[in-house]
Amino acid sequence: MHYLESILRVLLIGLLLGAGLPAVFAFGLRAYSAAAGGIDAAGVQHPPRPALKPVGLLLFTFVLVVIVMAILWITRGTIIHHFGVDPYPFIPRK
């Protein structure tokens, strides 16, 4: 049962980060571009919605933070070895 639980956790995280993170980026891009308004490919005029610009920037920031955290997690051992600083002191090392 322990192996099945571990496999399901890896699958869930893989789905969230593998498909979810690009989807969050796409929603941010869509919100950021909708904030400017303009004319689409069909020739329809869309009014600017400035309230969506901070939403797009917030989603971009979230994606950037997740990417930086993942890089720090992957390089955690090297960072501890060379600098003596643990980027995740609240998570025990194995």
Side-chain angles (χ1 to χ4, degrees):
M1 191 64 174
H2 176 69
Y3 292 116
L4 181 62
E5 182 180 332
S6 298
I7 289 171
L8 289 176
R9 283 185 183 180
V10 169
L11 179 65
L12 178 67
I13 295 298
L15 285 175
L16 287 176
L17 296 180
L21 207 55
V24 170
F25 182 80
F27 285 130
L29 192 61
R30 180 80 171 142
Y32 191 79
S33 67
I39 301 173
D40 65 5
V44 178
Q45 176 75 27
H46 294 284
R49 294 186 270 175
L52 290 178
K53 189 172 186 177
V55 173
L57 291 173
L58 183 68
L59 292 174
F60 291 152
T61 304
F62 174 74
V63 170
L64 180 67
V65 166
V66 169
I67 290 171
V68 168
M69 287 178 65
I71 291 171
L72 287 175
W73 179 262
I74 291 169
T75 60
R76 182 180 182 192
T78 304
I79 292 171
I80 292 170
H81 176 74
H82 289 290
F83 300 109
V85 177
D86 189 359
Y88 296 103
F90 48 87
I91 300 175
R93 292 181 62 196
K94 291 185 177 182

